Amino acid sequence: MTVTGNIILNHQQIQHKTRRIAYQILESNVNEGEIIIAGIASNGFVFAQKIKAELEKITDAVITLCEVKIDKQNPLQSVTTSIPKETYINKPLVLIDDVLNSGTTLIYGVKHFLDVPLKNFKTAVLVNRNHKKYPIKADFKGISLSTSIQEHIDVVFAEEDTAYLV
């Protein structure tokens, strides 16, 4: 896949930020035996897989990966997860996406998990764009970037992960 635009994060920087976010997640869940990592389908899930891999290098806690499917064009439709709700009841959960744009996708993901009692609930993104239309924030973020509304962030997870400003 060829993307043109300014590189805002290269492969090495993405690896570093992924590792740092994993450490932050562990620090906020230091006494937990299991942590649920829930990635929003597509790039958020790929980023969640990378965070899970980093967490498994630094903790003996069980890291359970969950894919969250949200129709981004019609987020009021039902949100589904790859694991049953019973799996994450009373456990710490981190909802992950690659880019926090307007907050729409993240807020509907949060809404889904509010129906379940969780031990604690955090959010993580690789890039926070600061253009939110909902009162949602990323607890853990790789980079905050003030961009114009016309600009777009494209994260490409491939052999050489890269984030572009297009």
Side-chain angles (χ1 to χ4, degrees):
M1 174 181 206
T2 303
V3 177
T4 57
N6 294 322
I7 295 174
I8 56 171
L9 292 172
N10 64 31
H11 180 70
Q12 184 178 358
Q13 291 167 320
I14 289 174
Q15 284 182 311
H16 173 74
K17 291 184 184 307
T18 302
R19 190 173 310 114
R20 186 172 55 79
I21 289 170
Y23 272 100
Q24 290 174 318
I25 290 169
L26 182 59
E27 287 169 4
S28 70
N29 295 288
V30 72
N31 295 320
E32 298 298 332
E34 181 177 7
I35 303 168
I36 309 296
I37 301 297
I40 294 177
S42 188
N43 265 4
F45 184 67
V46 174
F47 188 43
Q49 290 173 310
K50 292 177 178 297
I51 289 173
K52 177 184 188 281
E54 288 298 325
L55 281 166
E56 288 175 335
K57 293 176 188 174
I58 59 175
T59 182
D60 292 331
V62 174
I63 309 300
T64 302
L65 188 62
C66 170
E67 184 174 22
V68 181
K69 293 186 179 160
I70 299 173
D71 181 345
K72 293 183 181 190
Q73 272 58 56
N74 191 0
L76 288 172
Q77 296 297 84
S78 67
V79 174
T80 60
T81 57
S82 62
I83 60 176
K85 286 184 179 184
E86 300 77 47
T87 308
Y88 43 85
I89 290 175
N90 294 319
K91 294 185 181 147
L93 187 140
V94 181
L95 181 62
I96 297 174
D97 206 358
D98 62 336
V99 179
L100 174 53
N101 281 311
S102 67
T104 302
T105 305
L106 214 54
I107 199 85
Y108 283 101
V110 167
K111 179 182 177 287
H112 171 78
F113 289 105
L114 290 178
D115 294 336
V116 179
L118 298 172
K119 190 157 190 184
N120 70 50
F121 189 16
K122 303 281 186 186
T123 56
V125 297
L126 179 59
V127 181
N128 180 9
R129 284 201 51 210
N130 301 321
H131 284 297
K132 295 179 279 301
K133 65 180 183 180
Y134 292 100
I136 185 119
K137 71 176 185 77
D139 296 295
F140 313 114
K141 55 190 163 282
I143 186 173
S144 286
L145 197 61
S146 293
T147 59
S148 74
I149 298 291
Q150 293 78 26
E151 291 174 311
H152 176 74
I153 303 291
D154 194 5
V155 178
V156 177
F157 290 115
E159 193 172 315
E160 286 289 316
D161 301 337
T162 312
Y164 297 91
L165 176 63
V166 205

